[in-house]
Amino acid sequence: MAAPAISRAMSAGMTFVMAAACGLIAANLYYAQPLAGPIAASIGLPAHATGLIVTLTQIGYGLGLLLIVPLGDLLENRRLIVTMVGAAAIALLAAGFSTAVLPFLAASLAIGLASTAVQMIVPFAANLAPDAHRGRVVGNVMSGLMVGIMMARPVSSFIARFSSWHLVFFLSAAVMIVLGFVLATRLPKRVPQTKLSYFSLLASMGRLYATQPVLRRRAFYQACQFAAFSLFWTVTPLVLAGPAFQLTQAGIALFALAGVAGAIASPIAGRLADRDLGKPATLFGILAVAAAFAMTHIAPEGSVVALTLLTLAAILLDFGVTMTLVIGQRAIYGLGAELRSRLNGLFMATFFCGGAIGSAVGAWAFAEGGWMLASMIGLALPVIASLYFMTERRPQPVPAE
């Protein structure tokens, strides 16, 4: 009797609601990135400390992955998600009203913490989906998340161009309030069966990482993939604004929109995983990222052909990263229903660290050796992942606890 109920709970409408929620919440992490300069000038933050605006949001998100997301294995899921969405609305309002450095930076940290609600929704969707269609459901939900990530920067740039950066945060807060009401009425209740205390729950995460080779392997693949992704999107705006291409901010925003096309990989990857084709699809995703960096060197820098190839590379790279992400999540969710929030937190935290390293290394490499050095490092990352992939054997079941 349980399976039909789950199938009804995860209808096409519910999948859409969860996908939209993931995209809208994830966007909160990226609205401030293209606005860091104007925000810093407005609140009196020194130019050399502008990076704190983005960094503190990322730190908050990383902490939330390890300290808050695991609560999905302990507390009733709907209430937890709605509470986090409400906290995100308050944090966004605080950022919008901020006129000084400390209040804004505190709000940035809180936005990162609260936005981890997105990583509670994805395992929730996996729990509601029947086994045979779990990959498809996860892929569809993740497509919303990827669209939100890629749309956030151009949307915030567009709003700020015609109004102010404050309005970006106020509008997002309003969206979170509406979303909170929608999720409170649409999401079904889910009460986990875990009886651990909070601190025992956190302690169990170390054991999970040590005893689950699938988790470690998939997290490493995605850390390499996301490091390459972050490097690419950190450096390409600098390349496009440079003397070779001389694009305006509007042109760079249009370039960023092209990457949204890569989000179509999510539902494709989910369906491949459901058909037990996750292994070849993983290799394809890794090689796609390598090919994306390689193809940017085919034409002379600054030419129309070079710009076209760079745009196609952005789409291919986003496609490859999304492909391995969805397949990786499908794989780790198969390790145990009552472990999914903790597994997701560990998986996301690991590859999030890879992304942070990719951004930092990319900025350094571009300053030292331009796009040539940065892209060679970007190419090396999926190559390393592919070499590790070649050592993969048929996974053996390991007791979860």
Side-chain angles (χ1 to χ4, degrees), residues 159-175:
I159 295 173
R161 181 179 179 185
F162 293 99
S163 182
S164 74
W165 64 266
H166 297 275
L167 183 61
V168 174
F169 291 98
F170 291 145
L171 289 176
S172 184
V175 169

Side-chain angles (χ1 to χ4, degrees), residues 80-365:
L80 179 61
I81 291 168
V82 172
T83 299
M84 295 302 294
V85 170
I90 294 170
L92 289 161
L93 285 173
F97 282 116
S98 295
T99 56
V101 172
L102 288 180
F104 184 87
L105 293 182
S108 296
L109 183 70
I111 289 170
L113 282 166
S115 295
T116 53
V118 72
Q119 297 304 338
M120 301 171 187
I121 294 174
V122 179
F124 190 8
N127 282 318
L128 292 175
D131 291 342
H133 302 296
R134 183 166 294 120
R136 183 178 67 185
V137 168
V138 171
N140 289 339
V141 171
M142 288 300 294
S143 66
L145 185 148
M146 296 305 295
V147 169
I149 289 174
M150 298 305 298
M151 289 293 292
R153 299 177 185 91
V155 165
S156 65
S157 296
F158 179 81
I159 295 173
R161 181 179 179 185
F162 293 99
S163 182
S164 74
W165 64 266
H166 297 275
L167 183 61
V168 174
F169 291 98
F170 291 145
L171 289 176
S172 184
V175 169
M176 289 299 102
I177 292 170
V178 173
L179 179 62
F181 281 110
V182 171
L183 294 178
T185 55
R186 292 298 304 276
L187 291 183
K189 278 191 172 184
R190 178 182 177 269
V191 181
Q193 300 303 309
T194 305
K195 301 302 182 183
L196 299 173
S197 68
Y198 175 66
F199 291 107
S200 298
L201 191 78
L202 295 183
S204 71
M205 294 173 71
R207 293 195 302 275
L208 286 175
Y209 212 89
T211 60
Q212 298 292 348
V214 172
L215 170 63
R216 295 194 304 272
R217 181 175 285 275
R218 286 289 166 179
F220 181 82
Y221 296 160
Q222 205 59 34
C224 291
Q225 292 282 86
F226 201 58
F229 174 93
S230 298
L231 183 149
F232 183 91
W233 287 107
T234 297
V235 177
T236 49
L238 303 175
V239 174
L240 294 172
F245 293 100
Q246 299 182 21
L247 262 63
T248 64
Q249 285 300 313
I252 294 172
L254 289 174
F255 173 80
L257 281 174
V260 176
I264 64 171
S266 292
I268 296 173
R271 284 161 174 78
L272 290 174
D274 284 339
R275 295 175 183 174
D276 201 25
L277 295 172
K279 191 169 182 178
T282 297
L283 182 59
F284 175 82
I286 292 171
L287 294 180
V289 173
F293 281 98
M295 67 189 291
T296 63
H297 295 286
I298 295 174
E301 190 176 21
S303 65
V304 174
V305 175
L307 181 59
T308 302
L309 287 172
L310 194 61
T311 304
L312 292 174
I315 297 171
L316 183 60
L317 177 136
D318 287 6
F319 187 95
V321 171
T322 305
M323 175 77 70
T324 54
L325 173 59
V326 172
I327 292 172
Q329 286 186 298
R330 174 67 170 84
I332 65 169
Y333 290 157
L335 299 177
E338 294 305 316
L339 306 171
R340 284 177 184 146
S341 290
R342 281 169 284 173
L343 291 167
N344 196 50
L346 289 166
F347 177 72
M348 290 290 171
T350 302
F351 90 71
F352 182 82
C353 289
I357 292 170
S359 295
V361 170
W364 169 84

Side-chain angles (χ1 to χ4, degrees), residues 26-50:
N28 294 333
L29 298 166
Y30 298 95
Y31 287 134
Q33 286 192 355
L35 308 178
I39 292 173
S42 176
I43 64 177
L45 185 67
H48 67 271
T50 300

Side-chain angles (χ1 to χ4, degrees), residues 6-74:
I6 291 174
S7 299
R8 286 196 299 271
M10 207 57 208
S11 63
M14 179 61 68
T15 302
F16 175 79
V17 168
M18 288 187 160
C22 283
L24 293 169
I25 296 168
N28 294 333
L29 298 166
Y30 298 95
Y31 287 134
Q33 286 192 355
L35 308 178
I39 292 173
S42 176
I43 64 177
L45 185 67
H48 67 271
T50 300
L52 286 174
I53 291 172
V54 175
T55 301
L56 279 173
T57 303
Q58 293 175 333
I59 290 173
Y61 189 69
L63 290 173
L65 288 173
L66 293 174
L67 301 178
I68 300 177
V69 169
L71 288 171
D73 287 337
L74 188 64

